[in-house]
Amino acid sequence: TETIAPPMPATDRPDKRSSGNLLSLLALACMAAVISGLIVVDYRTQRSLQQANIQRFQQNLEDRGRSLVYFFSERENDLRALARSSAITGFFSNRALGMSMAYGLRASLNNIDRLFAERGENSRLGTTAIYSSLLLLAEDGQVLSRWPAAGGGERPAATDLPQSAGNKVRMTDQGNGLISFTAPVIVNERLQGSIQGWLRYQTLVD
């Protein structure tokens, strides 16, 4: 005859189900902990990258700012050096002595033309000339000399000239994408005229 095993006590089955449920909960808790850890690590990584990008951006702005300050100071030095050059101070000294274009002044202006050409050709950013024009102005605003000779029509009014005998270089927005630096020419402690260097805003951007 067939022997039939006695049925398992009913109390054993709930224990196994409880153990299985507990293991599932533990697995879910572990998965949640791992996912939470990954989220935290990813957040911290992204935060660190964001901070690094902000620092690089700030450093880049500071570097560009220093470059621009240096560029401005170099233009001021250029204009001051031209205003104090022997070619330009000599011209105004000769004019004060009563020399005319026929006797002395024309030769002085030729020297200034060569000085401007040398400065204009040697002041470059790569292959691009920094100055679009260099001008020598009389105190009343008359253009006495310019580089290049066929200029772009830069003819500032007398009100753009310095009104004092200081050595401050004035920067002026001239419109049409142009900016000028103006330095006074002082001879015998008197304002005789000024030097202007014109450049394009695109040069500043470059």
Side-chain angles (χ1 to χ4, degrees):
T1 61
E2 185 178 353
T3 303
I4 300 175
M8 194 183 316
T11 55
D12 290 346
R13 287 194 288 269
D15 289 343
K16 287 192 175 184
R17 285 199 298 270
S18 297
S19 298
N21 290 338
L22 181 60
L23 289 175
S24 298
L25 289 173
L26 287 173
L28 288 174
C30 290
M31 289 179 62
V34 170
I35 292 172
S36 297
L38 291 175
I39 291 174
V40 170
V41 170
D42 181 68
Y43 171 79
R44 289 180 175 174
T45 301
Q46 294 299 324
R47 182 69 175 172
S48 177
L49 290 174
Q50 184 183 35
Q51 291 296 326
N53 288 335
I54 290 174
Q55 290 176 358
R56 281 194 296 269
F57 179 72
Q58 290 175 337
Q59 184 64 47
N60 187 39
L61 285 181
E62 290 174 3
D63 291 342
R64 289 175 183 270
R66 282 191 292 268
S67 296
L68 199 57
V69 169
Y70 177 77
F71 182 86
F72 284 156
S73 66
E74 286 298 292
R75 304 294 68 77
E76 292 178 355
N77 291 337
D78 283 349
L79 273 293
R80 287 195 184 100
L82 288 172
R84 296 169 181 168
S85 67
S86 58
I88 289 174
T89 57
F91 168 80
F92 286 107
S93 295
N94 292 339
R95 193 170 72 163
L97 292 174
M99 290 186 180
S100 65
M101 285 295 179
Y103 297 98
L105 289 187
R106 183 66 263 171
S108 293
L109 286 179
N110 289 340
N111 291 334
I112 295 170
D113 291 343
R114 285 191 290 270
L115 177 66
F116 280 178
E118 180 181 351
R119 171 58 62 189
E121 292 295 336
N122 292 335
S123 299
R124 292 184 171 274
L125 287 173
T127 58
T128 303
I130 291 177
Y131 297 105
S132 61
S133 294
L134 290 168
L135 305 174
L136 172 63
L137 305 173
E139 191 175 4
D140 62 1
Q142 177 190 2
V143 178
L144 301 171
S145 177
R146 70 163 68 237
W147 175 88
E154 301 90 344
R155 190 177 295 274
T159 52
D160 288 333
L161 296 175
Q163 298 301 312
S164 66
N167 63 350
K168 184 178 180 180
V169 177
R170 176 181 296 176
M171 185 174 65
T172 307
D173 177 12
Q174 299 289 356
N176 297 323
L178 293 168
I179 187 171
S180 68
F181 292 82
T182 304
V185 177
I186 310 299
V187 180
N188 297 325
E189 299 183 354
R190 182 180 180 277
L191 178 66
Q192 302 287 345
S194 65
I195 299 293
Q196 280 194 345
W198 290 57
L199 54 89
R200 297 178 178 85
Y201 274 110
Q202 186 59 46
T203 303
L204 297 181
V205 175
D206 294 340

